[in-house]
Amino acid sequence: EDKVVQSPLSLVVHEGDTVTLNCSYEVTNFRSLLWYKQEKKAPTFLFMLTSSGIEKKSGRLSSILDKKELFSILNITATQTGDSAVYLCAVEPGGSEKLVFGKGTKLTVNP
Amino acid sequence: ETGVTQSPTHLIKTRGQQVTLRCSSQSGHNTVSWYQQALGQGPQFIFQYYREEENGRGNFPPRFSGLQFPNYSSELNVNALELDDSALYLCASTQSGGALTGELFFGEGSRLTVL
């Protein structure tokens, strides 16, 4: 059965800190891994990774995928209170019509 | 905002009742998926609709059913509500023609509480 495990489940940091969120997975016929940010209700797309070792960056956020070790990390540097959210990791099995999500990491950034 | 709209945003039902949730997909998107997100959990795939037919289903009982209309909008129906059905129901659309190709565009969700 396809599975995504995220760690930690929750994290509290101060503004300016750097955080690393982890995502490990087991999936048949991997196609891609996606990160979403969920602040209140609608998850919003951050990154999609398909190739190992390639870093995707957007401002202070970056992510990398290791297809050999079956994990991904999401880094956030110089955190701000607006980064407080649940960060969801999901994998897309090849030939499937669904995403398989982890439970998420709840990040709280205090001023 | 993604352009995916859901209604209602909140509703309260009692055990045994039936509920219908609605979703309008983003313009140009022909595929709609529904996910259930219980408190403290990640979204779980319920089913996907493409060309007005169910195109894949997760591990949910038959009392969860859906429809897709010619304009690509969709409904999720849940019969015989149970307490465990309390969750945020997310609709997502994509222009993937039934095959998932990555990014899903989510609506704001419908928060269902079953008492």
Side-chain angles (χ1 to χ4, degrees), chain B residues 7 52 105 110:
Chain B
S7 63
E52 302 176 49
F105 297 84
S110 293

Side-chain angles (χ1 to χ4, degrees), chain B residues 45-83:
Chain B
F45 176 72
I46 303 175
F47 41 54
Q48 183 196 77
Y49 275 83
Y50 170 61
R51 287 186 174 176
E52 302 176 49
E53 291 192 358
E54 188 180 287
N55 187 48
R57 188 178 184 93
N59 192 22
F60 281 82
R63 59 189 185 84
F64 285 77
S65 63
L67 284 172
Q68 187 181 33
F69 300 99
N71 66 353
Y72 307 132
S73 67
S74 178
E75 286 183 356
L76 165 65
N77 297 292
V78 187
N79 293 322
L81 284 167
E82 301 177 359
L83 296 179

Side-chain angles (χ1 to χ4, degrees), chain A residues 1 6 9 31-32 34 36 38 40-46 48 86 88-89 91-104, chain B residues 2 9-10 33 35 37 40-45 48 55-58 88 90 98-111:
Chain A
E1 187 179 329
Q6 293 187 244
L9 291 181
R31 179 182 285 174
S32 67
L34 299 92
Y36 282 84
Q38 187 174 29
K40 288 181 182 175
K41 288 187 175 180
T44 54
F45 173 77
L46 295 175
M48 182 169 76
V86 173
L88 295 165
C89 174
V91 293
E92 178 192 355
S96 173
E97 58 289 319
K98 67 179 181 183
L99 292 181
V100 179
F101 285 85
K103 290 185 177 183
Chain B
T2 62
T9 53
H10 295 85
S33 302
Y35 286 78
Q37 188 176 21
Q41 303 294 316
Q44 279 202 302
F45 176 72
Q48 183 196 77
N55 187 48
R57 188 178 184 93
L88 179 67
L90 294 163
L100 193 59
T101 55
E103 180 184 356
L104 291 176
F105 297 84
F106 285 92
E108 292 289 317
S110 293
R111 171 84 57 195

Side-chain angles (χ1 to χ4, degrees), chain A residues 15-31:
Chain A
E15 264 192 320
D17 288 350
T18 293
V19 298
T20 298
L21 310 183
N22 304 295
C23 174
S24 64
Y25 62 90
E26 295 174 24
V27 65
T28 49
N29 197 17
F30 173 92
R31 179 182 285 174

Side-chain angles (χ1 to χ4, degrees), chain A residues 49-77:
Chain A
L49 302 127
T50 57
S51 299
S52 199
I54 294 176
E55 184 179 16
K56 292 276 184 96
K57 281 196 74 154
S58 177
R60 298 176 293 102
L61 277 66
S62 64
S63 183
I64 196 161
L65 172 68
D66 186 328
K67 285 173 73 175
K68 183 179 176 186
E69 300 298 330
L70 307 182
F71 77 88
S72 174
I73 59 172
L74 176 68
N75 279 320
I76 308 175
T77 59

